[in-house]
Amino acid sequence: MDHSARRVVVIGDALIDELRTPLGSDDHVGGAGLNVAVGLARLGVATTLLASVGDDADGASIRSYLADHGVELVATTNPLGTGRAVSERVDGEPTYAFSDAAVARGLDFGEAQLAAIAAAPLVAVSSYPFDDARLTERLLAAVGAEPPRLVVDPNPRPGFLRDPEAFATGFARAAAASLLVKIGEDDAALVAGGTLDEWQEALLAAGAGGVLATRGSDGASLTLAGHAPLRQGIASLDGDVVDTMGAGDATFASVVASSLARSADPGSVDWEAALTDAMRVAAATVRAPGALLRRP
């Protein structure tokens, strides 16, 4: 098969994470979309990232980092520059403040973007402005409904959300057209205003093909429409947990990599093994600093 036909497109954010500590600050290339794209590449999947990046020094850092990891970038030039997320740790958990350039992360759907999407067996979305109805409509129109190939992690963060209600509406529209969506406990409270299980049931009822739910210390579950949920606890690996940053992105990337087989042969994915693999990848990722996906 033509290798390019297996190239997954990731749509999401690419920015600079500025990590502040009492000792000073460090810059790292990051963003949920970028983390997923690089994670897929590290899992052996040919990947193209569609993201908004400035024509500046931070943008050059992002381009260089993606090139180092073999990820193709189709960039929308952000007139405000490259986005930044300033992170400080509060009780061990990261808190984020986003620059105006990061919040205004709209994408062009021009010729290059549409060509990449058209050729992709899967389109993985991680952190998208679903509170912008126009951009949600453009995404769904670009991907199309047949064959179904959309997988979505809404990845909402308080600093990004301009209108939580509009975001919930836009994400629900995308979920109804998706093979799989990933949601987490924090997301449920922020977007749906309820429990993770209530949100999962609502998404499945609305037409989502499946829901990957990350459950903190309880691991994760994967529920396909019409099937009993699969559950997997946190994987036990040697070494201490160093940094939980990137765990969700690694989990999502691993499941997307496993589900790539479905686009060639529906029904061919061993979802129980996919969930087990994802938990092992997440466990390896949190045993190293930063958000870079690690293989166990």
mmCIF file of all heavy atoms in Angstrom, residues 5 7 27 29 33 50 86 141 171 178 190 233 238 272 274 286:
data_model
loop_
_atom_site.group_PDB
_atom_site.id
_atom_site.type_symbol
_atom_site.label_atom_id
_atom_site.label_comp_id
_atom_site.label_asym_id
_atom_site.label_seq_id
_atom_site.Cartn_x
_atom_site.Cartn_y
_atom_site.Cartn_z
ATOM 1 N N ALA A 5 -0.661 6.965 2.002
ATOM 2 C CA ALA A 5 -2.079 6.750 2.280
ATOM 3 C C ALA A 5 -2.316 6.418 3.742
ATOM 4 O O ALA A 5 -3.446 6.464 4.217
ATOM 5 C CB ALA A 5 -2.626 5.635 1.395
ATOM 6 N N ARG A 7 -0.772 8.070 6.226
ATOM 7 C CA ARG A 7 -0.304 9.221 6.998
ATOM 8 C C ARG A 7 -1.466 9.855 7.751
ATOM 9 O O ARG A 7 -2.416 10.350 7.156
ATOM 10 C CB ARG A 7 0.353 10.241 6.065
ATOM 11 C CG ARG A 7 0.865 11.489 6.764
ATOM 12 C CD ARG A 7 1.633 12.388 5.809
ATOM 13 N NE ARG A 7 2.959 11.853 5.545
ATOM 14 C CZ ARG A 7 4.028 12.073 6.305
ATOM 15 N NH1 ARG A 7 3.926 12.839 7.388
ATOM 16 N NH2 ARG A 7 5.189 11.568 6.003
ATOM 17 N N ASP A 27 11.845 27.089 28.714
ATOM 18 C CA ASP A 27 10.950 26.973 27.567
ATOM 19 C C ASP A 27 11.049 25.577 26.964
ATOM 20 O O ASP A 27 12.151 25.030 26.815
ATOM 21 C CB ASP A 27 11.318 27.994 26.485
ATOM 22 C CG ASP A 27 10.923 29.417 26.856
ATOM 23 O OD1 ASP A 27 10.254 29.596 27.895
ATOM 24 O OD2 ASP A 27 11.291 30.345 26.109
ATOM 25 N N VAL A 29 9.094 23.121 23.747
ATOM 26 C CA VAL A 29 8.110 23.005 22.676
ATOM 27 C C VAL A 29 6.987 22.090 23.151
ATOM 28 O O VAL A 29 7.238 21.033 23.739
ATOM 29 C CB VAL A 29 8.765 22.444 21.399
ATOM 30 C CG1 VAL A 29 7.715 22.124 20.340
ATOM 31 C CG2 VAL A 29 9.783 23.441 20.851
ATOM 32 N N GLY A 33 -1.834 19.211 20.480
ATOM 33 C CA GLY A 33 -1.780 18.653 19.132
ATOM 34 C C GLY A 33 -0.375 18.213 18.766
ATOM 35 O O GLY A 33 -0.162 17.123 18.218
ATOM 36 N N LEU A 50 -1.407 19.849 11.533
ATOM 37 C CA LEU A 50 -1.993 21.119 11.101
ATOM 38 C C LEU A 50 -2.141 21.988 12.342
ATOM 39 O O LEU A 50 -2.871 21.627 13.275
ATOM 40 C CB LEU A 50 -3.366 20.894 10.461
ATOM 41 C CG LEU A 50 -3.422 20.560 8.962
ATOM 42 C CD1 LEU A 50 -2.532 19.384 8.614
ATOM 43 C CD2 LEU A 50 -4.858 20.274 8.541
ATOM 44 N N VAL A 86 2.072 29.553 29.912
ATOM 45 C CA VAL A 86 2.914 29.724 31.097
ATOM 46 C C VAL A 86 2.391 28.791 32.187
ATOM 47 O O VAL A 86 1.216 28.851 32.562
ATOM 48 C CB VAL A 86 2.893 31.182 31.589
ATOM 49 C CG1 VAL A 86 3.747 31.325 32.844
ATOM 50 C CG2 VAL A 86 3.405 32.110 30.488
ATOM 51 N N ALA A 141 -16.744 19.839 7.828
ATOM 52 C CA ALA A 141 -16.888 19.827 6.376
ATOM 53 C C ALA A 141 -15.619 19.309 5.696
ATOM 54 O O ALA A 141 -15.689 18.569 4.707
ATOM 55 C CB ALA A 141 -17.217 21.231 5.874
ATOM 56 N N PHE A 171 -18.188 20.658 20.518
ATOM 57 C CA PHE A 171 -17.577 19.349 20.700
ATOM 58 C C PHE A 171 -18.609 18.239 20.530
ATOM 59 O O PHE A 171 -18.315 17.193 19.929
ATOM 60 C CB PHE A 171 -16.913 19.241 22.076
ATOM 61 C CG PHE A 171 -16.490 17.832 22.413
ATOM 62 C CD1 PHE A 171 -15.610 17.151 21.598
ATOM 63 C CD2 PHE A 171 -16.998 17.191 23.532
ATOM 64 C CE1 PHE A 171 -15.231 15.840 21.896
ATOM 65 C CE2 PHE A 171 -16.631 15.895 23.833
ATOM 66 C CZ PHE A 171 -15.752 15.214 23.021
ATOM 67 N N SER A 178 -17.698 11.197 15.157
ATOM 68 C CA SER A 178 -16.379 10.632 15.435
ATOM 69 C C SER A 178 -16.412 9.115 15.624
ATOM 70 O O SER A 178 -17.373 8.557 16.162
ATOM 71 C CB SER A 178 -15.795 11.262 16.709
ATOM 72 O OG SER A 178 -15.552 12.642 16.528
ATOM 73 N N LEU A 190 -15.589 20.573 33.655
ATOM 74 C CA LEU A 190 -15.372 21.851 32.987
ATOM 75 C C LEU A 190 -16.344 22.077 31.830
ATOM 76 O O LEU A 190 -16.902 23.161 31.682
ATOM 77 C CB LEU A 190 -13.930 21.905 32.464
ATOM 78 C CG LEU A 190 -13.459 23.203 31.821
ATOM 79 C CD1 LEU A 190 -13.481 24.343 32.811
ATOM 80 C CD2 LEU A 190 -12.031 23.011 31.276
ATOM 81 N N GLY A 233 -6.483 -0.725 34.560
ATOM 82 C CA GLY A 233 -5.880 0.082 35.612
ATOM 83 C C GLY A 233 -4.560 0.684 35.159
ATOM 84 O O GLY A 233 -4.041 0.382 34.078
ATOM 85 N N ASP A 238 8.746 -0.072 36.537
ATOM 86 C CA ASP A 238 9.823 0.298 37.450
ATOM 87 C C ASP A 238 10.022 1.814 37.425
ATOM 88 O O ASP A 238 9.778 2.472 36.418
ATOM 89 C CB ASP A 238 11.131 -0.386 37.041
ATOM 90 C CG ASP A 238 11.091 -1.893 37.256
ATOM 91 O OD1 ASP A 238 10.266 -2.350 38.075
ATOM 92 O OD2 ASP A 238 11.869 -2.604 36.591
ATOM 93 N N GLU A 272 -8.991 -4.345 23.574
ATOM 94 C CA GLU A 272 -8.478 -4.630 24.919
ATOM 95 C C GLU A 272 -6.958 -4.475 24.938
ATOM 96 O O GLU A 272 -6.387 -3.874 25.854
ATOM 97 C CB GLU A 272 -8.885 -6.035 25.354
ATOM 98 C CG GLU A 272 -8.638 -6.288 26.824
ATOM 99 C CD GLU A 272 -9.421 -7.483 27.355
ATOM 100 O OE1 GLU A 272 -10.151 -8.130 26.588
ATOM 101 O OE2 GLU A 272 -9.288 -7.745 28.564
ATOM 102 N N ALA A 274 -5.292 -2.674 22.810
ATOM 103 C CA ALA A 274 -5.014 -1.254 22.561
ATOM 104 C C ALA A 274 -5.047 -0.464 23.857
ATOM 105 O O ALA A 274 -4.198 0.414 24.086
ATOM 106 C CB ALA A 274 -6.034 -0.695 21.571
ATOM 107 N N VAL A 286 5.097 9.139 32.101
ATOM 108 C CA VAL A 286 5.116 9.895 33.358
ATOM 109 C C VAL A 286 6.360 9.588 34.204
ATOM 110 O O VAL A 286 6.576 10.230 35.226
ATOM 111 C CB VAL A 286 3.841 9.656 34.206
ATOM 112 C CG1 VAL A 286 2.602 10.071 33.430
ATOM 113 C CG2 VAL A 286 3.727 8.212 34.692
#
